[in-house]
Amino acid sequence: MKGEAKVFRGTAKKLILQPLKAVYWFHEMDEFESATLQHILQIRPDVVHCHDLSTLPTGASVAGRIGCALIYDSHELEMHRNATYPEAVKRKRRRLEERNIVKADVVITVSESIADHLRDDYRIPRPIVVLNSPDFEHTDEGHKTLRTDLHLGEDAPLAVYVGSVTINRGIENVVRALPFMEAVHFATVGPRRKETEKLLIEIAEELGVRDRLHLVDPVPPNDVVGYIRSADVSVLPIQNVCLSYYYCMPNKLLESVFAGIPVAVANLIELRRFVEKTGCGLVMDETDPRSIAEAVASVIPRRGDFVVTGERLDQLIAEYSWAAQAERLRGVYRDLRRRTAR
């Protein structure tokens, strides 16, 4: 009876929440514009910098009314996100992006593949890529590290996942890989979705590896690089469930490399390109726990072969660090100033 009641409550929750989510998603951008448009018009900005699709229609409206410059900063491939939208919401989102992206003076995005996709899909000039890179130059180099927080000795193999513990990140496959990785501890560092956290614990208990699974709260962004530096390998098991993920170039990859940690990455196009270019780790089948285990087990004893140091590290910093991305962003604004001054 209790089990039946639990199933009923779960079903009822879905029946109530899903329609409410659909209503919210459908009106999300309209509500943002209602709440902000008049305030922005009063400010009369020189540039409206719109982060993601939820703000783009409002920014385009402001630019059209007062003639200011418009930047569209697309942090994901909005039409192909890790989200299940009703068809009516999908059509509205597509219509709004298609209508307004062509009005932008500059489009910015976060990976080369997304830039190519947006260029080809909307027939616009190729967006400028500003990577989501860590500000590791200001990281906390104190004594607090992941390994010390877990009370693990230096001889205990430690794999880490950095970022949100949520659906389609493949973290459960890493837990399923633990029985094939003798003595390896696996820690997540980041905010946790309750349902995903519960699933990870259930899998670990079922497989008898709960003592080697560690769910750690997030640390301040500027501290991540220093905090995870004591791990032996960083695992990026992101699942290929949408184009936005397939094209992703996530912050956690660069955080790991700048922390001096080898990586085991999913076979996604940007991750694979980066690993092949830099030699900083191995590519694995993110859907297969045995493949994940093989990659991790291969990297840990050969850590020194994969850590990027010396001149190679200097080159990576020059190209991929936040300082390099910030300069690229400043260049966007300098170019806009020149154009508007004519």
Side-chain angles (χ1 to χ4, degrees):
M1 187 67 183
K2 285 184 178 179
E4 292 176 359
K6 185 176 181 181
V7 170
F8 175 77
R9 285 197 299 272
T11 304
K13 185 177 179 182
K14 285 184 179 179
L15 289 173
I16 294 169
L17 290 182
Q18 286 302 113
L20 289 177
K21 283 183 179 179
V23 171
Y24 167 76
W25 283 329
F26 193 83
H27 295 290
E28 175 187 12
M29 285 168 273
D30 301 330
E31 291 179 359
F32 180 83
E33 182 161 323
S34 297
T36 62
L37 180 60
Q38 292 306 316
H39 296 288
I40 300 171
L41 289 173
Q42 288 174 9
I43 296 170
R44 298 192 65 81
D46 298 307
V47 180
V48 179
H49 192 134
C50 300
H51 289 272
D52 289 328
L53 179 58
S54 58
T55 67
L56 177 60
T58 302
S61 180
V62 171
R65 294 189 191 196
I66 67 174
C68 67
L70 175 65
I71 297 175
Y72 178 35
D73 200 334
S74 182
H75 300 180
E76 296 195 53
L77 189 57
E78 286 282 358
M79 295 303 105
H80 302 276
R81 294 181 60 178
N82 178 29
T84 305
Y85 294 114
E87 284 302 317
V89 176
K90 287 181 183 178
R91 289 193 296 270
K92 180 175 182 179
R93 287 169 58 81
R94 172 72 190 193
R95 184 171 66 251
L96 288 172
E97 186 168 57
E98 188 172 34
R99 178 190 301 163
N100 292 300
I101 194 171
V102 295
K103 300 175 183 177
D105 296 279
V106 179
V107 178
I108 297 171
T109 194
V110 291
S111 83
E112 301 294 340
S113 292
I114 293 179
D116 290 340
H117 185 97
L118 290 174
R119 176 198 61 199
D120 298 341
D121 194 20
Y122 293 117
R123 298 182 181 181
I124 59 173
R126 190 175 189 274
I128 294 168
V129 175
V130 176
L131 298 172
N132 186 13
S133 181
D135 185 10
F136 73 97
E137 294 172 349
H138 298 102
T139 191
D140 179 10
E141 294 292 349
H143 297 294
K144 181 179 178 180
T145 69
L146 175 61
R147 188 175 290 274
T148 56
D149 275 357
L150 297 179
H151 305 290
L152 291 177
E154 292 297 325
D155 58 340
L158 176 59
V160 64
Y161 165 87
V162 180
S164 294
V165 176
T166 187
I167 58 172
N168 294 327
R169 299 297 177 91
I171 308 164
E172 62 274 19
N173 288 339
V174 184
V175 178
R176 293 189 179 105
L178 285 175
F180 308 116
M181 299 186 288
E182 186 178 354
V184 173
H185 289 255
F186 174 52
T188 68
V189 179
R192 300 185 294 278
R193 178 175 175 264
K194 287 184 179 180
E195 294 85 351
T196 306
E197 178 178 6
K198 181 181 177 183
L199 174 63
L200 296 179
I201 292 172
E202 288 175 352
I203 294 171
E205 289 176 344
E206 181 182 337
L207 296 176
V209 295
R210 181 65 184 90
D211 60 323
R212 292 193 280 133
L213 171 65
H214 311 277
L215 304 172
V216 181
D217 291 337
V219 298
N222 285 353
D223 295 350
V224 171
V225 171
Y227 185 70
I228 66 173
R229 200 184 296 277
S230 59
D232 296 298
V233 60
S234 178
V235 187
L236 284 76
I238 303 164
Q239 301 295 289
N240 184 13
V241 295
C242 60
L243 270 181
S244 192
Y245 274 15
Y246 184 61
Y247 291 157
C248 72
M249 182 67 179
N251 194 20
K252 57 179 68 68
L253 173 64
L254 297 172
E255 286 171 334
S256 302
V257 173
F258 291 140
I261 309 173
V263 296
V265 304
N267 190 17
L268 307 178
I269 186 168
E270 293 291 341
L271 299 185
R272 184 175 68 246
R273 281 178 182 167
F274 185 85
V275 166
E276 291 174 350
K277 174 182 177 180
T278 64
C280 65
L282 295 176
V283 179
M284 63 193 181
D285 179 352
E286 68 279 2
T287 67
D288 181 3
R290 285 186 179 272
S291 177
I292 294 171
E294 288 171 5
V296 170
S298 297
V299 166
I300 288 178
R302 299 168 50 208
R303 173 174 175 163
D305 296 339
F306 298 106
V307 174
V308 181
T309 59
E311 187 176 329
R312 288 169 58 220
L313 180 59
D314 292 339
Q315 291 171 351
L316 282 183
I317 291 172
E319 183 175 356
Y320 292 99
S321 68
W322 174 245
Q325 308 314 306
E327 180 54 34
R328 192 172 298 175
L329 190 57
R330 284 191 288 267
V332 168
Y333 275 86
R334 284 194 294 267
D335 184 58
L336 274 178
R337 180 187 294 176
R338 284 193 294 269
R339 280 197 262 167
T340 55
R342 291 172 186 169

